[in-house]
Amino acid sequence: MLAKDILIDGYGRIREEVHAAVGGLGPDALNTAPAPGANPVAWLVWHLTRVQDDHVADAFGLDQVWLTRGFEERFALGLPRHDTGYGHTPEQVAGVRVASGDLLTGYYDAVHGQTLDALRALAAQDLERVVDERWDPPVSLGVRLVSVLSDDLQHAGQAAYVRGLLQRTES
């Protein structure tokens, strides 16, 4: 198995978890925080998708799906164009409200497609290319891809947990 095949499998697992966390939830459940100041499913999935979109696009020299395929306009969040949710205050988190799960999964699927296209074109030596010199040591493409994978899976797990909490309180 090649490294890119492992990455493709890993990113496929994010997609599965995103769809499982969002599927069947209406706007109220998507946008409900399980406690004051906590992150709702909608914010968690939007954020993990924005991070993947931003970081993968930057690492591969691509345009962000958010900016080029109309998702910024469809979500209409009123945030700065390149906002990924990093460092959001509880008020900013609460302001990320979505009208449907289809919008969230549609955005994720578009980002996932761009990510897979980039991963399929990888050669083993590409993973060693430095993509971010702001860190010590500088970050290679391989490290960046694993970092995004890890962060996204953590947020997808949080979204699944919040979904479970909300469904438990509805019962």
Side-chain angles (χ1 to χ4, degrees):
M1 183 177 256
L2 300 174
K4 72 179 180 181
D5 296 327
I6 294 169
L7 289 166
I8 289 167
D9 179 77
Y11 278 87
R13 292 171 192 240
I14 298 168
R15 184 180 182 278
E16 292 170 9
E17 296 303 325
V18 163
H19 278 264
V22 171
L25 294 182
D28 288 341
L30 287 168
N31 295 301
T32 298
N39 300 327
V41 170
W43 185 88
L44 288 162
V45 171
W46 170 82
H47 169 64
L48 75 83
T49 308
R50 286 294 298 125
V51 168
Q52 184 176 334
D53 192 8
D54 175 78
H55 287 32
V56 171
D58 181 62
F60 285 94
L62 302 169
D63 292 326
Q64 289 185 31
V65 169
W66 178 254
L67 302 173
T68 60
R69 298 194 199 169
F71 286 100
E72 178 188 17
E73 293 81 17
R74 282 184 258 173
F75 275 78
L77 299 176
L79 296 169
R81 295 192 74 204
H82 292 277
D83 195 328
T84 63
Y86 182 76
H88 268 191
T89 65
E91 293 76 26
Q92 288 171 309
V93 169
V96 174
R97 299 188 58 79
V98 299
S100 74
D102 289 343
L103 181 59
L104 279 170
T105 57
Y107 176 42
Y108 185 81
D109 288 348
V111 170
H112 179 71
Q114 178 165 283
T115 298
L116 289 186
D117 288 345
L119 293 175
R120 287 184 187 117
L122 273 178
Q125 64 270 20
D126 295 335
L127 296 172
E128 296 175 24
R129 179 174 53 86
V130 172
V131 296
D132 191 345
E133 294 186 4
R134 296 173 295 174
W135 298 93
D136 185 18
V139 177
S140 68
L141 177 59
V143 168
R144 176 60 44 89
L145 291 170
V146 170
S147 174
V148 171
L149 177 64
S150 171
D151 188 66
D152 278 5
L153 283 172
Q154 289 179 61
H155 283 86
Q158 291 169 5
Y161 180 73
V162 171
R163 176 192 178 103
L165 289 176
L166 295 173
Q167 288 177 328
R168 186 170 175 92
T169 60
E170 289 174 0
S171 303

